[in-house]
């Protein structure tokens, strides 16, 4: 297997959205110090990362949030901004996130609004964040249970990726990251081939396979988000599985992890868009991959509730619900449904999948 590319040490110019791969927590800390370039550093982390990786964090100016989605609120943003002000952080400060997607989304948002914006650097510590959320500059907090309703586009100066930090990740969080990794693989032919061949190693957390997949996925996401920072075009494809996934997540009260809802979202959306009619071989392969990655049982939520939640999705325009489909690996397209069409297609897709034995409902697992 190819050695990971270690950019640290050879970086001389500061460019936005730069990926830096490092071997250890110590190297990650050094890379952050270098990214700050002598400016004040303010770290945001969560309670678990603070406990597991004290060596990753600076000694002072660290704000520790409660772990979990519930922290993604404007109230937490305000508390962090207040702590920054009390610590004497000026417009030259650099905010550094050490954590998963929750920490990154909050810290990124803080960096985009504190004193009208300061520099941001991200050290993702979950699989989901290393392959997806840390890259591309989307930041957000939630509003009234609706995901990511208040946010900004704020490109981090550096994303410092250390796959070694993933060794302590609970298995549920690993599965969540696998959901986003499989999604990225469906969009990127090269990664798809790798993930298909190595799915058992990835499920079993074999470090070399994971490192290689993380590197490929991170580079793919960077390429797409560099091309279309504010999601006017190509970037929309990254929402694969997210229309149904986000709607289920909202209605189900976040009982599963984000990546598990994305797995369910992809399974149902593929059926809604009849991908088996377009590409039967890919439909069969993708079904196997979703199963191997840990497709969970479908929560008991009515199609009407799912549709109501999908109607509030940020990707929608002109009153239509946007769903990303695939004609094969790397061949994404956008499809639009009226609310009535969406509700009917969702309902038919779920019934068909259950009848085929490809999906089970919570409480009805065999
Ligand atoms: N900004 C984006 O583009 C984007 C993309 C996808 C998802 N997201 C957001 O990301 C969030 C989900 O991110 P997540 O899955 O990383 O969740 P998370 O940040 O809540 O982390 C999951 C859990 O893992 C723990 N953890 C983190 N690193 C660890 C480590 N190295 N070892 C042990 N435990 C560790 C955390 O404390 C937490 O309990 C959601 O809010 C989602 O909306 C954002």
């Amino acid at each position: 297997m190819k050695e990971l590319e270690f950019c640290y040490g050879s970086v001389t110019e500061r460019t936005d959205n730069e990926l830096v791969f490092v071997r250890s927590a110590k190297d990650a800390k050094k890379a952050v110090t270098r990214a700050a370039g002598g400016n004040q550093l303010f770290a945001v982390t969560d309670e678990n990362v603070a406990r597991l990786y004290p060596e990753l964090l600076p000694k002072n100016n660290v704000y520790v949030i409660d772990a979990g989605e519930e922290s993604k609120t404007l109230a937490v943003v305000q508390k962090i901004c207040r702590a920054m002000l009390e610590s004497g952080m000026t417009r030259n400060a650099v905010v550094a996130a050490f954590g998963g997607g929750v920490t990154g989304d909050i810290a990124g948002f803080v960096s985009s609004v504190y004193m009208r914006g300061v520099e941001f650097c991200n050290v993702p510590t979950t699989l989901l964040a290393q392959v997806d959320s840390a890259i591309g500059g989307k930041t957000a907090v939630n509003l009234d249970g609706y995901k990511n309703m208040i946010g900004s586009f704020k490109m981090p100066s550096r994303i410092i990726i250390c796959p070694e930090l993933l060794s302590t990740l609970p298995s549920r969080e690993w599965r969540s990251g696998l959901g986003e990794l499989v999604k990225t693989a469906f969009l990127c032919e090269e990664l798809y081939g790798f993930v298909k061949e190595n799915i058992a190693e990835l499920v079993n957390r074999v470090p070399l396979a994971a490192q290689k997949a993380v590197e490929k996925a991170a580079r793919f996401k960077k390429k797409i988000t560099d091309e279309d920072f504010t999601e006017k075009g190509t970037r929309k494809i990254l929402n694969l599985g997210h229309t149904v996934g986000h709607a289920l997540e909202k209605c189900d009260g976040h009982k599963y992890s984000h990546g598990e809802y994305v797995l369910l979202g992809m399974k149902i959306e593929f059926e809604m868009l009849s991908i088996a009619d377009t590409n039967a071989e890919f439909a069969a392969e993708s079904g196997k991959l979703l199963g191997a990655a840990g497709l969970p049982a479908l929560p008991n939520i009515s199609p009407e509730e799912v549709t109501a939640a999908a109607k509030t999705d940020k990707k929608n325009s002109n009153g239509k619900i946007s769903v990303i489909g695939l004609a094969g690996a790397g061949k994404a397209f956008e499809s639009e449904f009226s609310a009535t069409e969406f509700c009917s297609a969702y309902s038919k897709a779920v019934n068909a999948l259950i009848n085929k034995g490809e999906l089970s409902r919570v409480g009805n697992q065999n």
Side-chain angles (χ1 to χ4, degrees), residues 23 39 42 50 80 86 127 148 218 239 249 252 283 292 310 364:
R23 283 178 206 277
N39 292 313
F42 192 89
I80 298 172
E86 284 166 1
L127 179 60
N148 304 328
N239 293 315
E249 188 169 2
D252 199 33
N364 291 344

Side-chain angles (χ1 to χ4, degrees), residues 258-336:
H258 176 72
E260 288 173 314
Y261 288 108
V262 173
L263 288 173
L264 274 171
M266 288 190 284
K267 184 77 189 171
I268 296 167
E269 289 176 7
F270 288 177
E271 189 69 25
M272 287 170 75
L273 293 167
S274 313
I275 64 159
D277 295 345
T278 322
N279 188 338
E281 190 187 341
F282 174 73
E285 273 177 11
S286 63
K288 276 192 205 148
L289 212 48
L290 291 171
L295 181 74
L298 182 68
N300 288 306
I301 299 161
S302 73
E304 290 73 21
E305 273 182 273
V306 173
T307 306
K311 270 166 71 180
T312 65
D313 201 292
K314 295 182 295 304
K315 301 178 289 297
N316 299 337
S317 58
N318 306 323
K320 297 278 190 180
I321 299 175
S322 161
V323 179
I324 302 298
L326 283 178
K331 296 184 184 118
F333 61 87
E334 188 181 12
S335 201
E336 289 186 329

Side-chain angles (χ1 to χ4, degrees), residues 46-49 52-53 67-69 72 99-105 125-129 132-135 137-140 142 147-148 165-170 173 176-177 180 221 235 242 246 249 257-259:
D46 78 17
E47 54 191 330
N48 294 327
V49 177
L52 289 163
Y53 296 103
E69 190 69 26
K72 278 180 69 170
V102 165
T103 305
D105 277 9
T125 63
T126 61
L127 179 60
L128 183 141
D132 189 358
S133 67
I135 302 147
K138 274 191 186 175
T139 84
N142 302 331
K147 293 268 299 175
N148 304 328
L165 299 175
L166 303 179
S167 63
T168 48
L169 210 56
E173 301 308 334
S176 179
E180 292 283 10
K221 178 146 187 203
R235 186 172 182 162
H242 281 65
H246 269 170
E249 188 169 2
S257 64
H258 176 72

Side-chain angles (χ1 to χ4, degrees), residues 182-194 216-217 220 237 326 329-331:
V182 167
K183 176 208 81 177
T184 310
F186 286 145
L187 299 169
C188 166
E189 245 186 307
E190 190 202 344
L191 179 63
Y192 181 65
F194 181 82
K216 283 180 189 294
F220 176 77
I237 65 169
L326 283 178
K331 296 184 184 118

